[in-house]
Amino acid sequence: MNSTPLPIQNYALLDDAECEARIVAAKEKLNGRCIVLGHHYQRDEVFKHADITGDSLKLSREAAQSDAEYIVFCGVHFMAEVADILSRPEQIAILPDMAAGCSMADMANHIKVQKCWEELAQVIDVENEVTPITYINSAADLKAFCGKHDGIVCTSSNAEKILNWSFERKEKVLFFPDQHLGRNTGYRMGIPLEQMVTWDFTKPMGGLSEQQIRDAKIILWNGYCSVHQAFKPEHIDAFKQKHPETIVISHPEACFEVCEKSDYIGSTENILKIVREAEPNTRWLVATELNLVNRLHEECKDQGKNVHFMAPTLCMCSTMFRTDPQHLAWVLENLVEGQVVNQVAVPAEDAALAKKALDNMLVAS
């Protein structure tokens, strides 16, 4: 066993083929002590090595139920944090590249949200009137913020149930960091657009008047996913001019106008399920991340299904792309040598409060 970790510099110039061989060999040597998780948006060269694939919450739950000592999350930082929060104390969560973050999650940090909460308190009785909801695509300290203030976490598949749970308790919701998930879900629940206001964290009082705050049912954080922001309603119009039979399916992180033109709206897991179970010889236009769409097309083409990426330009999650075969080989070979690199460990107090918000989600959904 090495007394010091193997340096990442040793891996930077390895080609993908050599990395693949070393990843396979390392996993064999670890013999079940390590579980590799692969998010749907991960690049193929890494995705192929995952023991379990799926969305972030599903992966964290399954890893926590496994016998593995090490959880290697091929995704982004907030995902590894959730894995750490939900895993057993003896399990260690690892992110192959600590630079793999989420630009949307970064749009809402604890300082900004705390400031928003304090400013809202100048207008309304925030503790008794507002439930904070954070999308699972957020930092652990924001999940902890929700746990501290009787709030909750949501996913793209259970957001409606979480909003219903929240409105049973208090009259308003502060929803962060993704405005589009909140707006699209609220609208489908019958909440008028004028009762969903956007909090611009760069402006005093979020750029809202006191009356707008008092009248609002959902206060939406001005955050968004850069990938899903790329999809436009005109992309749907142009594609359907050529292929009018096309069925459109979009992730709820896409903007309101795109979702309104879509036949289906669903999480990554729901998109996969709907297209996989669809009739053969159908054509689909999909508004979500490129790697997922490409894999779905390859999987379904033998059934005569054509699965197309909605945007005319390539758009993938650039931060997710940071997790490459070189980093995966590095962390796995270090584990073989008895060295843990890139451990993600949420502070105990934040973890306990975040777990409370996640537990509320389990009850609500």
Side-chain angles (χ1 to χ4, degrees), residues 299-346:
E299 178 185 337
C300 295
K301 66 182 182 182
D302 289 344
Q303 303 168 38
K305 296 175 190 174
N306 286 286
V307 182
H308 304 266
F309 183 65
M310 184 178 290
T313 55
L314 295 182
C315 183
M316 61 183 67
C317 182
S318 58
T319 48
M320 188 81 71
F321 198 75
R322 288 181 182 273
T323 300
D324 55 22
Q326 290 72 24
H327 280 86
L328 182 56
W330 173 60
V331 297
L332 292 176
E333 290 193 341
N334 267 294
L335 289 178
V336 170
E337 295 298 320
Q339 296 292 332
V340 174
V341 292
N342 283 10
Q343 179 178 357
V344 175
V346 178

mmCIF file of all heavy atoms in Angstrom, residues 299-346:
data_model
loop_
_atom_site.group_PDB
_atom_site.id
_atom_site.type_symbol
_atom_site.label_atom_id
_atom_site.label_comp_id
_atom_site.label_asym_id
_atom_site.label_seq_id
_atom_site.Cartn_x
_atom_site.Cartn_y
_atom_site.Cartn_z
ATOM 1 N N GLU A 299 -30.696 3.008 -28.204
ATOM 2 C CA GLU A 299 -31.449 1.926 -27.572
ATOM 3 C C GLU A 299 -32.741 1.620 -28.317
ATOM 4 O O GLU A 299 -33.155 0.457 -28.415
ATOM 5 C CB GLU A 299 -31.766 2.320 -26.121
ATOM 6 C CG GLU A 299 -32.601 1.310 -25.354
ATOM 7 C CD GLU A 299 -32.995 1.803 -23.972
ATOM 8 O OE1 GLU A 299 -32.309 2.681 -23.422
ATOM 9 O OE2 GLU A 299 -34.010 1.303 -23.441
ATOM 10 N N CYS A 300 -33.394 2.653 -28.841
ATOM 11 C CA CYS A 300 -34.745 2.492 -29.407
ATOM 12 C C CYS A 300 -34.794 2.387 -30.929
ATOM 13 O O CYS A 300 -35.867 2.145 -31.488
ATOM 14 C CB CYS A 300 -35.628 3.665 -28.956
ATOM 15 S SG CYS A 300 -35.932 3.727 -27.174
ATOM 16 N N LYS A 301 -33.676 2.582 -31.611
ATOM 17 C CA LYS A 301 -33.730 2.657 -33.078
ATOM 18 C C LYS A 301 -34.153 1.341 -33.723
ATOM 19 O O LYS A 301 -34.774 1.344 -34.797
ATOM 20 C CB LYS A 301 -32.399 3.147 -33.637
ATOM 21 C CG LYS A 301 -31.227 2.204 -33.429
ATOM 22 C CD LYS A 301 -29.949 2.822 -33.996
ATOM 23 C CE LYS A 301 -28.760 1.880 -33.839
ATOM 24 N NZ LYS A 301 -27.503 2.497 -34.355
ATOM 25 N N ASP A 302 -33.859 0.199 -33.072
ATOM 26 C CA ASP A 302 -34.274 -1.090 -33.640
ATOM 27 C C ASP A 302 -35.780 -1.264 -33.604
ATOM 28 O O ASP A 302 -36.323 -2.133 -34.293
ATOM 29 C CB ASP A 302 -33.608 -2.243 -32.892
ATOM 30 C CG ASP A 302 -32.109 -2.331 -33.178
ATOM 31 O OD1 ASP A 302 -31.664 -1.712 -34.164
ATOM 32 O OD2 ASP A 302 -31.391 -3.000 -32.416
ATOM 33 N N GLN A 303 -36.472 -0.452 -32.795
ATOM 34 C CA GLN A 303 -37.943 -0.482 -32.755
ATOM 35 C C GLN A 303 -38.541 0.512 -33.749
ATOM 36 O O GLN A 303 -39.748 0.761 -33.745
ATOM 37 C CB GLN A 303 -38.435 -0.146 -31.354
ATOM 38 C CG GLN A 303 -37.885 -1.056 -30.258
ATOM 39 C CD GLN A 303 -38.168 -0.489 -28.873
ATOM 40 O OE1 GLN A 303 -39.230 0.081 -28.622
ATOM 41 N NE2 GLN A 303 -37.222 -0.635 -27.969
ATOM 42 N N GLY A 304 -37.684 1.109 -34.575
ATOM 43 C CA GLY A 304 -38.146 2.092 -35.538
ATOM 44 C C GLY A 304 -38.420 3.450 -34.925
ATOM 45 O O GLY A 304 -39.000 4.326 -35.584
ATOM 46 N N LYS A 305 -38.003 3.648 -33.686
ATOM 47 C CA LYS A 305 -38.210 4.941 -33.037
ATOM 48 C C LYS A 305 -37.049 5.870 -33.381
ATOM 49 O O LYS A 305 -35.886 5.462 -33.331
ATOM 50 C CB LYS A 305 -38.302 4.786 -31.520
ATOM 51 C CG LYS A 305 -39.485 3.966 -31.042
ATOM 52 C CD LYS A 305 -39.432 3.772 -29.526
ATOM 53 C CE LYS A 305 -40.461 2.756 -29.078
ATOM 54 N NZ LYS A 305 -40.350 2.425 -27.643
ATOM 55 N N ASN A 306 -37.387 7.092 -33.724
ATOM 56 C CA ASN A 306 -36.385 8.122 -33.955
ATOM 57 C C ASN A 306 -36.438 9.099 -32.783
ATOM 58 O O ASN A 306 -37.475 9.722 -32.538
ATOM 59 C CB ASN A 306 -36.671 8.864 -35.259
ATOM 60 C CG ASN A 306 -36.326 8.017 -36.467
ATOM 61 O OD1 ASN A 306 -35.170 7.821 -36.778
ATOM 62 N ND2 ASN A 306 -37.344 7.513 -37.148
ATOM 63 N N VAL A 307 -35.336 9.224 -32.079
ATOM 64 C CA VAL A 307 -35.263 10.089 -30.898
ATOM 65 C C VAL A 307 -34.286 11.210 -31.201
ATOM 66 O O VAL A 307 -33.102 10.963 -31.455
ATOM 67 C CB VAL A 307 -34.826 9.303 -29.642
ATOM 68 C CG1 VAL A 307 -34.809 10.216 -28.420
ATOM 69 C CG2 VAL A 307 -35.759 8.114 -29.407
ATOM 70 N N HIS A 308 -34.775 12.446 -31.198
ATOM 71 C CA HIS A 308 -33.981 13.593 -31.611
ATOM 72 C C HIS A 308 -33.748 14.547 -30.445
ATOM 73 O O HIS A 308 -34.626 14.747 -29.596
ATOM 74 C CB HIS A 308 -34.692 14.361 -32.735
ATOM 75 C CG HIS A 308 -35.026 13.535 -33.923
ATOM 76 N ND1 HIS A 308 -34.200 13.441 -35.018
ATOM 77 C CD2 HIS A 308 -36.107 12.768 -34.200
ATOM 78 C CE1 HIS A 308 -34.760 12.646 -35.922
ATOM 79 N NE2 HIS A 308 -35.916 12.232 -35.444
ATOM 80 N N PHE A 309 -32.597 15.156 -30.446
ATOM 81 C CA PHE A 309 -32.249 16.206 -29.490
ATOM 82 C C PHE A 309 -32.877 17.516 -29.972
ATOM 83 O O PHE A 309 -32.786 17.854 -31.155
ATOM 84 C CB PHE A 309 -30.723 16.321 -29.432
ATOM 85 C CG PHE A 309 -30.189 17.304 -28.432
ATOM 86 C CD1 PHE A 309 -30.372 17.114 -27.080
ATOM 87 C CD2 PHE A 309 -29.479 18.416 -28.859
ATOM 88 C CE1 PHE A 309 -29.854 18.012 -26.159
ATOM 89 C CE2 PHE A 309 -28.955 19.320 -27.951
ATOM 90 C CZ PHE A 309 -29.144 19.115 -26.592
ATOM 91 N N MET A 310 -33.516 18.254 -29.066
ATOM 92 C CA MET A 310 -34.314 19.391 -29.497
ATOM 93 C C MET A 310 -33.487 20.548 -30.051
ATOM 94 O O MET A 310 -33.857 21.163 -31.053
ATOM 95 C CB MET A 310 -35.187 19.901 -28.339
ATOM 96 C CG MET A 310 -36.126 21.025 -28.747
ATOM 97 S SD MET A 310 -37.201 21.594 -27.416
ATOM 98 C CE MET A 310 -38.319 20.203 -27.221
ATOM 99 N N ALA A 311 -32.389 20.901 -29.404
ATOM 100 C CA ALA A 311 -31.641 22.089 -29.821
ATOM 101 C C ALA A 311 -30.869 21.804 -31.106
ATOM 102 O O ALA A 311 -30.306 20.719 -31.277
ATOM 103 C CB ALA A 311 -30.684 22.537 -28.723
ATOM 104 N N PRO A 312 -30.802 22.757 -32.025
ATOM 105 C CA PRO A 312 -30.044 22.550 -33.265
ATOM 106 C C PRO A 312 -28.538 22.572 -33.056
ATOM 107 O O PRO A 312 -27.776 22.129 -33.912
ATOM 108 C CB PRO A 312 -30.496 23.721 -34.154
ATOM 109 C CG PRO A 312 -30.936 24.781 -33.207
ATOM 110 C CD PRO A 312 -31.497 24.067 -32.008
ATOM 111 N N THR A 313 -28.102 23.114 -31.924
ATOM 112 C CA THR A 313 -26.675 23.104 -31.591
ATOM 113 C C THR A 313 -26.430 22.117 -30.464
ATOM 114 O O THR A 313 -27.318 21.857 -29.655
ATOM 115 C CB THR A 313 -26.189 24.494 -31.152
ATOM 116 O OG1 THR A 313 -27.003 24.944 -30.059
ATOM 117 C CG2 THR A 313 -26.295 25.489 -32.296
ATOM 118 N N LEU A 314 -25.232 21.566 -30.415
ATOM 119 C CA LEU A 314 -24.901 20.601 -29.368
ATOM 120 C C LEU A 314 -24.880 21.294 -28.016
ATOM 121 O O LEU A 314 -24.351 22.395 -27.865
ATOM 122 C CB LEU A 314 -23.540 19.961 -29.639
ATOM 123 C CG LEU A 314 -23.435 19.098 -30.901
ATOM 124 C CD1 LEU A 314 -22.042 18.490 -30.996
ATOM 125 C CD2 LEU A 314 -24.493 18.007 -30.918
ATOM 126 N N CYS A 315 -25.467 20.630 -27.033
ATOM 127 C CA CYS A 315 -25.514 21.213 -25.692
ATOM 128 C C CYS A 315 -25.480 20.085 -24.673
ATOM 129 O O CYS A 315 -26.417 19.305 -24.581
ATOM 130 C CB CYS A 315 -26.773 22.059 -25.519
ATOM 131 S SG CYS A 315 -26.868 22.879 -23.922
ATOM 132 N N MET A 316 -24.377 19.978 -23.958
ATOM 133 C CA MET A 316 -24.271 18.969 -22.909
ATOM 134 C C MET A 316 -23.894 19.654 -21.602
ATOM 135 O O MET A 316 -23.531 20.826 -21.575
ATOM 136 C CB MET A 316 -23.228 17.903 -23.275
ATOM 137 C CG MET A 316 -21.827 18.425 -23.455
ATOM 138 S SD MET A 316 -20.687 17.133 -23.956
ATOM 139 C CE MET A 316 -21.304 16.734 -25.592
ATOM 140 N N CYS A 317 -24.003 18.930 -20.519
ATOM 141 C CA CYS A 317 -23.664 19.487 -19.216
ATOM 142 C C CYS A 317 -22.140 19.540 -19.088
ATOM 143 O O CYS A 317 -21.486 18.514 -18.907
ATOM 144 C CB CYS A 317 -24.273 18.640 -18.105
ATOM 145 S SG CYS A 317 -23.948 19.291 -16.456
ATOM 146 N N SER A 318 -21.590 20.738 -19.215
ATOM 147 C CA SER A 318 -20.133 20.889 -19.260
ATOM 148 C C SER A 318 -19.481 20.517 -17.930
ATOM 149 O O SER A 318 -18.351 20.006 -17.902
ATOM 150 C CB SER A 318 -19.751 22.323 -19.645
ATOM 151 O OG SER A 318 -20.291 23.249 -18.734
ATOM 152 N N THR A 319 -20.170 20.760 -16.820
ATOM 153 C CA THR A 319 -19.582 20.402 -15.523
ATOM 154 C C THR A 319 -19.642 18.897 -15.307
ATOM 155 O O THR A 319 -18.703 18.302 -14.763
ATOM 156 C CB THR A 319 -20.296 21.145 -14.382
ATOM 157 O OG1 THR A 319 -21.715 21.011 -14.542
ATOM 158 C CG2 THR A 319 -19.942 22.619 -14.389
ATOM 159 N N MET A 320 -20.723 18.257 -15.736
ATOM 160 C CA MET A 320 -20.807 16.796 -15.671
ATOM 161 C C MET A 320 -19.700 16.175 -16.519
ATOM 162 O O MET A 320 -19.143 15.120 -16.176
ATOM 163 C CB MET A 320 -22.179 16.350 -16.185
ATOM 164 C CG MET A 320 -22.491 14.889 -16.001
ATOM 165 S SD MET A 320 -23.052 14.465 -14.349
ATOM 166 C CE MET A 320 -24.689 15.199 -14.334
ATOM 167 N N PHE A 321 -19.357 16.833 -17.619
ATOM 168 C CA PHE A 321 -18.356 16.319 -18.557
ATOM 169 C C PHE A 321 -16.964 16.286 -17.935
ATOM 170 O O PHE A 321 -16.069 15.605 -18.432
ATOM 171 C CB PHE A 321 -18.366 17.201 -19.814
ATOM 172 C CG PHE A 321 -17.717 16.572 -21.009
ATOM 173 C CD1 PHE A 321 -18.365 15.569 -21.722
ATOM 174 C CD2 PHE A 321 -16.463 16.972 -21.435
ATOM 175 C CE1 PHE A 321 -17.781 14.988 -22.835
ATOM 176 C CE2 PHE A 321 -15.865 16.397 -22.545
ATOM 177 C CZ PHE A 321 -16.524 15.397 -23.248
ATOM 178 N N ARG A 322 -16.769 17.019 -16.834
ATOM 179 C CA ARG A 322 -15.450 17.031 -16.182
ATOM 180 C C ARG A 322 -15.060 15.656 -15.649
ATOM 181 O O ARG A 322 -13.878 15.336 -15.534
ATOM 182 C CB ARG A 322 -15.435 18.046 -15.037
ATOM 183 C CG ARG A 322 -15.442 19.498 -15.490
ATOM 184 C CD ARG A 322 -15.404 20.420 -14.282
ATOM 185 N NE ARG A 322 -15.458 21.820 -14.659
ATOM 186 C CZ ARG A 322 -14.403 22.554 -14.962
ATOM 187 N NH1 ARG A 322 -13.203 22.019 -14.952
ATOM 188 N NH2 ARG A 322 -14.540 23.826 -15.290
ATOM 189 N N THR A 323 -16.043 14.867 -15.274
ATOM 190 C CA THR A 323 -15.738 13.518 -14.804
ATOM 191 C C THR A 323 -15.374 12.665 -16.008
ATOM 192 O O THR A 323 -16.235 12.298 -16.806
ATOM 193 C CB THR A 323 -16.942 12.926 -14.050
ATOM 194 O OG1 THR A 323 -17.243 13.753 -12.918
ATOM 195 C CG2 THR A 323 -16.634 11.516 -13.556
ATOM 196 N N ASP A 324 -14.108 12.354 -16.133
ATOM 197 C CA ASP A 324 -13.610 11.638 -17.310
ATOM 198 C C ASP A 324 -12.976 10.319 -16.892
ATOM 199 O O ASP A 324 -12.809 10.033 -15.693
ATOM 200 C CB ASP A 324 -12.625 12.518 -18.086
ATOM 201 C CG ASP A 324 -11.466 13.022 -17.230
ATOM 202 O OD1 ASP A 324 -11.157 12.412 -16.188
ATOM 203 O OD2 ASP A 324 -10.871 14.053 -17.608
ATOM 204 N N PRO A 325 -12.627 9.460 -17.859
ATOM 205 C CA PRO A 325 -12.014 8.168 -17.513
ATOM 206 C C PRO A 325 -10.722 8.319 -16.723
ATOM 207 O O PRO A 325 -10.387 7.451 -15.891
ATOM 208 C CB PRO A 325 -11.764 7.523 -18.876
ATOM 209 C CG PRO A 325 -12.750 8.169 -19.796
ATOM 210 C CD PRO A 325 -12.873 9.577 -19.308
ATOM 211 N N GLN A 326 -9.982 9.400 -16.972
ATOM 212 C CA GLN A 326 -8.719 9.602 -16.255
ATOM 213 C C GLN A 326 -8.957 9.799 -14.754
ATOM 214 O O GLN A 326 -8.252 9.206 -13.920
ATOM 215 C CB GLN A 326 -7.987 10.817 -16.855
ATOM 216 C CG GLN A 326 -7.427 10.593 -18.257
ATOM 217 C CD GLN A 326 -8.487 10.515 -19.356
ATOM 218 O OE1 GLN A 326 -9.586 11.051 -19.207
ATOM 219 N NE2 GLN A 326 -8.155 9.842 -20.452
ATOM 220 N N HIS A 327 -9.933 10.625 -14.411
ATOM 221 C CA HIS A 327 -10.226 10.841 -12.993
ATOM 222 C C HIS A 327 -10.808 9.585 -12.338
ATOM 223 O O HIS A 327 -10.517 9.294 -11.180
ATOM 224 C CB HIS A 327 -11.189 12.018 -12.825
ATOM 225 C CG HIS A 327 -10.530 13.358 -12.913
ATOM 226 N ND1 HIS A 327 -10.309 13.998 -14.104
ATOM 227 C CD2 HIS A 327 -10.033 14.172 -11.937
ATOM 228 C CE1 HIS A 327 -9.708 15.159 -13.880
ATOM 229 N NE2 HIS A 327 -9.527 15.288 -12.572
ATOM 230 N N LEU A 328 -11.646 8.862 -13.079
ATOM 231 C CA LEU A 328 -12.217 7.640 -12.514
ATOM 232 C C LEU A 328 -11.132 6.602 -12.257
ATOM 233 O O LEU A 328 -11.109 5.960 -11.196
ATOM 234 C CB LEU A 328 -13.290 7.085 -13.458
ATOM 235 C CG LEU A 328 -14.004 5.824 -12.974
ATOM 236 C CD1 LEU A 328 -14.650 6.028 -11.610
ATOM 237 C CD2 LEU A 328 -15.043 5.368 -14.010
ATOM 238 N N ALA A 329 -10.212 6.435 -13.202
ATOM 239 C CA ALA A 329 -9.094 5.502 -12.995
ATOM 240 C C ALA A 329 -8.261 5.924 -11.792
ATOM 241 O O ALA A 329 -7.832 5.080 -10.987
ATOM 242 C CB ALA A 329 -8.225 5.440 -14.256
ATOM 243 N N TRP A 330 -8.051 7.220 -11.649
ATOM 244 C CA TRP A 330 -7.246 7.759 -10.537
ATOM 245 C C TRP A 330 -7.855 7.422 -9.183
ATOM 246 O O TRP A 330 -7.169 6.911 -8.291
ATOM 247 C CB TRP A 330 -7.108 9.259 -10.733
ATOM 248 C CG TRP A 330 -6.454 10.008 -9.611
ATOM 249 C CD1 TRP A 330 -5.190 9.820 -9.131
ATOM 250 C CD2 TRP A 330 -7.024 11.072 -8.844
ATOM 251 N NE1 TRP A 330 -4.932 10.711 -8.108
ATOM 252 C CE2 TRP A 330 -6.044 11.486 -7.919
ATOM 253 C CE3 TRP A 330 -8.246 11.725 -8.872
ATOM 254 C CZ2 TRP A 330 -6.268 12.518 -7.009
ATOM 255 C CZ3 TRP A 330 -8.471 12.756 -7.980
ATOM 256 C CH2 TRP A 330 -7.490 13.149 -7.053
ATOM 257 N N VAL A 331 -9.137 7.677 -9.011
ATOM 258 C CA VAL A 331 -9.735 7.430 -7.699
ATOM 259 C C VAL A 331 -9.802 5.932 -7.405
ATOM 260 O O VAL A 331 -9.579 5.508 -6.263
ATOM 261 C CB VAL A 331 -11.129 8.080 -7.551
ATOM 262 C CG1 VAL A 331 -11.037 9.581 -7.655
ATOM 263 C CG2 VAL A 331 -12.147 7.537 -8.515
ATOM 264 N N LEU A 332 -10.077 5.115 -8.426
ATOM 265 C CA LEU A 332 -10.190 3.678 -8.187
ATOM 266 C C LEU A 332 -8.832 3.049 -7.876
ATOM 267 O O LEU A 332 -8.716 2.211 -6.960
ATOM 268 C CB LEU A 332 -10.824 2.992 -9.404
ATOM 269 C CG LEU A 332 -12.298 3.317 -9.657
ATOM 270 C CD1 LEU A 332 -12.776 2.661 -10.950
ATOM 271 C CD2 LEU A 332 -13.178 2.898 -8.488
ATOM 272 N N GLU A 333 -7.781 3.447 -8.602
ATOM 273 C CA GLU A 333 -6.468 2.870 -8.313
ATOM 274 C C GLU A 333 -5.950 3.344 -6.968
ATOM 275 O O GLU A 333 -5.217 2.607 -6.286
ATOM 276 C CB GLU A 333 -5.491 3.204 -9.443
ATOM 277 C CG GLU A 333 -5.845 2.448 -10.731
ATOM 278 C CD GLU A 333 -4.744 2.488 -11.781
ATOM 279 O OE1 GLU A 333 -3.859 3.359 -11.722
ATOM 280 O OE2 GLU A 333 -4.789 1.624 -12.679
ATOM 281 N N ASN A 334 -6.318 4.545 -6.548
ATOM 282 C CA ASN A 334 -5.960 4.968 -5.198
ATOM 283 C C ASN A 334 -6.666 4.121 -4.146
ATOM 284 O O ASN A 334 -6.082 3.773 -3.122
ATOM 285 C CB ASN A 334 -6.287 6.451 -4.998
ATOM 286 C CG ASN A 334 -5.097 7.351 -5.293
ATOM 287 O OD1 ASN A 334 -4.085 7.321 -4.593
ATOM 288 N ND2 ASN A 334 -5.208 8.147 -6.346
ATOM 289 N N LEU A 335 -7.919 3.770 -4.389
ATOM 290 C CA LEU A 335 -8.627 2.905 -3.439
ATOM 291 C C LEU A 335 -7.958 1.537 -3.357
ATOM 292 O O LEU A 335 -7.861 0.951 -2.267
ATOM 293 C CB LEU A 335 -10.094 2.756 -3.857
ATOM 294 C CG LEU A 335 -10.986 3.995 -3.682
ATOM 295 C CD1 LEU A 335 -12.394 3.711 -4.189
ATOM 296 C CD2 LEU A 335 -11.024 4.438 -2.221
ATOM 297 N N VAL A 336 -7.509 1.027 -4.489
ATOM 298 C CA VAL A 336 -6.775 -0.247 -4.487
ATOM 299 C C VAL A 336 -5.541 -0.144 -3.599
ATOM 300 O O VAL A 336 -5.177 -1.087 -2.877
ATOM 301 C CB VAL A 336 -6.383 -0.650 -5.924
ATOM 302 C CG1 VAL A 336 -5.409 -1.824 -5.907
ATOM 303 C CG2 VAL A 336 -7.620 -0.990 -6.746
ATOM 304 N N GLU A 337 -4.899 1.035 -3.614
ATOM 305 C CA GLU A 337 -3.703 1.261 -2.804
ATOM 306 C C GLU A 337 -4.023 1.673 -1.359
ATOM 307 O O GLU A 337 -3.121 1.998 -0.595
ATOM 308 C CB GLU A 337 -2.840 2.345 -3.453
ATOM 309 C CG GLU A 337 -2.258 1.962 -4.799
ATOM 310 C CD GLU A 337 -1.323 0.760 -4.702
ATOM 311 O OE1 GLU A 337 -0.550 0.704 -3.717
ATOM 312 O OE2 GLU A 337 -1.397 -0.117 -5.584
ATOM 313 N N GLY A 338 -5.292 1.690 -1.019
ATOM 314 C CA GLY A 338 -5.680 2.043 0.345
ATOM 315 C C GLY A 338 -5.755 3.525 0.610
ATOM 316 O O GLY A 338 -5.761 3.959 1.771
ATOM 317 N N GLN A 339 -5.835 4.317 -0.460
ATOM 318 C CA GLN A 339 -5.879 5.771 -0.315
ATOM 319 C C GLN A 339 -7.227 6.313 -0.830
ATOM 320 O O GLN A 339 -7.680 5.923 -1.900
ATOM 321 C CB GLN A 339 -4.750 6.424 -1.128
ATOM 322 C CG GLN A 339 -3.351 6.059 -0.662
ATOM 323 C CD GLN A 339 -3.033 6.647 0.703
ATOM 324 O OE1 GLN A 339 -3.562 7.688 1.078
ATOM 325 N NE2 GLN A 339 -2.151 5.995 1.433
ATOM 326 N N VAL A 340 -7.818 7.174 -0.028
ATOM 327 C CA VAL A 340 -9.068 7.830 -0.436
ATOM 328 C C VAL A 340 -8.740 9.238 -0.915
ATOM 329 O O VAL A 340 -8.151 10.030 -0.181
ATOM 330 C CB VAL A 340 -10.073 7.904 0.735
ATOM 331 C CG1 VAL A 340 -11.307 8.721 0.336
ATOM 332 C CG2 VAL A 340 -10.470 6.496 1.172
ATOM 333 N N VAL A 341 -9.106 9.544 -2.146
ATOM 334 C CA VAL A 341 -8.941 10.905 -2.667
ATOM 335 C C VAL A 341 -10.324 11.441 -3.023
ATOM 336 O O VAL A 341 -11.232 10.704 -3.372
ATOM 337 C CB VAL A 341 -8.013 10.940 -3.902
ATOM 338 C CG1 VAL A 341 -6.581 10.610 -3.499
ATOM 339 C CG2 VAL A 341 -8.495 9.993 -4.995
ATOM 340 N N ASN A 342 -10.460 12.760 -2.901
ATOM 341 C CA ASN A 342 -11.704 13.447 -3.282
ATOM 342 C C ASN A 342 -12.927 12.964 -2.513
ATOM 343 O O ASN A 342 -14.018 12.819 -3.066
ATOM 344 C CB ASN A 342 -11.948 13.333 -4.788
ATOM 345 C CG ASN A 342 -11.066 14.271 -5.588
ATOM 346 O OD1 ASN A 342 -10.143 14.875 -5.067
ATOM 347 N ND2 ASN A 342 -11.365 14.392 -6.869
ATOM 348 N N GLN A 343 -12.725 12.730 -1.207
ATOM 349 C CA GLN A 343 -13.877 12.391 -0.376
ATOM 350 C C GLN A 343 -14.779 13.608 -0.219
ATOM 351 O O GLN A 343 -14.314 14.735 -0.029
ATOM 352 C CB GLN A 343 -13.427 11.920 1.006
ATOM 353 C CG GLN A 343 -14.605 11.570 1.926
ATOM 354 C CD GLN A 343 -14.165 11.045 3.284
ATOM 355 O OE1 GLN A 343 -12.963 10.883 3.546
ATOM 356 N NE2 GLN A 343 -15.117 10.775 4.156
ATOM 357 N N VAL A 344 -16.074 13.396 -0.326
ATOM 358 C CA VAL A 344 -17.066 14.448 -0.096
ATOM 359 C C VAL A 344 -17.738 14.153 1.242
ATOM 360 O O VAL A 344 -18.417 13.131 1.397
ATOM 361 C CB VAL A 344 -18.112 14.485 -1.230
ATOM 362 C CG1 VAL A 344 -19.214 15.501 -0.920
ATOM 363 C CG2 VAL A 344 -17.444 14.820 -2.557
ATOM 364 N N ALA A 345 -17.529 15.032 2.195
ATOM 365 C CA ALA A 345 -18.052 14.820 3.545
ATOM 366 C C ALA A 345 -18.804 16.074 3.986
ATOM 367 O O ALA A 345 -18.197 17.134 4.161
ATOM 368 C CB ALA A 345 -16.927 14.488 4.521
ATOM 369 N N VAL A 346 -20.090 15.972 4.168
ATOM 370 C CA VAL A 346 -20.918 17.098 4.607
ATOM 371 C C VAL A 346 -20.774 17.248 6.117
ATOM 372 O O VAL A 346 -20.858 16.251 6.843
ATOM 373 C CB VAL A 346 -22.397 16.859 4.234
ATOM 374 C CG1 VAL A 346 -23.285 17.995 4.730
ATOM 375 C CG2 VAL A 346 -22.541 16.687 2.724
#
